[in-house]
Amino acid sequence: MSTQKQKKLFIMKIPNDIYIPEKYIVTENHSFYKELKYIIRQDYLISKQIFEENQNKFNPIKILVAFISEKTVCLNPNLIDINNLNSYEIQRQIQIGNPNLAKIDRAFSTVSAIPEYEQLCSLAEKQFIDWWEEKICPKIILKYGKLNLANSKCQFARQLRNAFAHSKINIDKNLKCEIKPVWQYLNLKEFNGEKVFDLMSLGDLINFWIEFEETELN
């Protein structure tokens, strides 16, 4: 196999050979259907600009490592038609540690994607705010009778929304957040003044969306 083909397979490949990648189908019935679709499409457009000088090496598949949750997330914009309501697919795979970035840097030509990732996170923040305010908050109030009575996962979503709106975590230490805003091991109440994406990744946010859908909305 040629070196070029090896590189292509390495880049396209989901991170490990131990766990089978899971296809996750997002339908129009998912509360985050539109929001995630916009994030995936925007990622493609931004990435394409970064690689515009060498399009033959551009790979539109995005792999997002998780910081605090269990699964790596793999996005493919080629599966999405932005103008319809068809179902689309993402893939997730149980993550084993963190990728060996030094090894990758030695073996392949790399391009900094920090500006792209920051733009993508900014878009995700806006989409999450819209998702919470337009679709979720009224359902949670209806389910629990009062927002303050909702469980830790709902409080986590609520405080994510607030942090995204104010560019940092800022939780009132009085009685407005009696139930701790916790997901996985992350308690947002302990990180006032921090930025959300310094504590969790965009992959974690997508994992949270999926878990929230399955446990709170079904």
Side-chain angles (χ1 to χ4, degrees):
M1 184 181 291
S2 71
T3 303
Q4 186 61 35
K5 286 184 178 179
Q6 286 178 335
K7 287 184 179 182
K8 183 177 181 182
L9 288 175
F10 184 90
I11 294 170
M12 296 280 286
K13 184 179 173 183
I14 206 159
N16 68 71
D17 295 315
I18 306 300
Y19 297 101
I20 297 172
E22 305 167 3
K23 292 183 179 180
Y24 190 90
I25 306 300
V26 183
T27 74
E28 62 175 316
N29 295 322
H30 282 78
S31 63
F32 55 84
Y33 172 88
K34 178 187 73 173
E35 288 80 8
L36 181 55
K37 178 186 274 195
Y38 286 171
I39 291 169
I40 295 171
R41 178 55 59 183
Q42 185 65 15
D43 170 62
Y44 169 76
L45 295 174
I46 296 171
S47 298
K48 192 173 181 181
Q49 286 182 343
I50 291 177
F51 283 88
E52 64 184 359
E53 293 181 1
N54 200 343
Q55 284 295 313
N56 64 322
K57 291 186 178 179
F58 173 59
N59 172 19
I61 295 177
K62 172 69 65 180
I63 294 176
L64 298 171
V65 176
F67 292 172
I68 64 171
S69 54
E70 184 184 42
K71 295 179 180 179
T72 298
V73 178
C74 185
L75 310 175
N76 185 354
N78 292 335
L79 299 173
I80 291 178
D81 183 339
I82 200 71
N83 296 315
N84 65 36
L85 294 178
N86 292 345
S87 301
Y88 61 91
E89 173 194 318
I90 66 174
Q91 287 192 0
R92 299 195 299 161
Q93 184 185 43
I94 294 176
Q95 189 168 293
I96 302 176
N98 292 316
N100 188 335
L101 298 181
K103 180 178 179 181
I104 293 172
D105 192 43
R106 288 194 302 269
F108 306 103
S109 298
T110 58
V111 176
S112 173
I114 292 175
E116 172 227 5
Y117 185 73
E118 290 176 345
Q119 288 184 57
L120 204 57
C121 287
S122 294
L123 175 63
E125 291 175 359
K126 180 186 182 305
Q127 295 301 319
F128 191 93
I129 292 170
D130 292 346
W131 170 80
W132 173 261
E133 293 183 348
E134 295 175 9
K135 302 173 183 176
I136 305 307
C137 188
K139 290 182 180 180
I140 297 305
I141 292 173
L142 184 63
K143 181 177 180 178
Y144 289 95
K146 193 176 180 182
L147 196 56
N148 287 352
L149 299 178
N151 64 18
S152 291
K153 196 176 297 177
C154 295
Q155 300 301 335
F156 188 91
R158 175 190 182 187
Q159 296 303 332
L160 279 185
R161 178 265 169 222
N162 292 343
F164 290 154
H166 300 289
S167 300
K168 64 180 180 180
I169 300 168
N170 185 17
I171 300 175
D172 193 326
K173 293 187 178 181
N174 296 319
L175 299 179
K176 292 184 180 180
C177 191
E178 292 178 316
I179 300 175
K180 293 179 180 179
V182 177
W183 180 61
Q184 302 297 336
Y185 57 82
L186 179 58
N187 181 354
L188 295 179
K189 201 169 185 179
E190 296 177 354
F191 292 93
N192 268 341
E194 299 286 336
K195 292 184 177 181
V196 169
F197 285 120
D198 287 341
L199 305 172
M200 57 187 284
S201 72
L202 187 52
D204 290 314
L205 184 67
I206 294 171
N207 285 331
F208 176 76
W209 254 338
I210 292 172
E211 185 177 320
F212 193 94
E213 185 84 18
E214 294 175 346
T215 60
E216 294 301 316
L217 302 179
N218 291 330

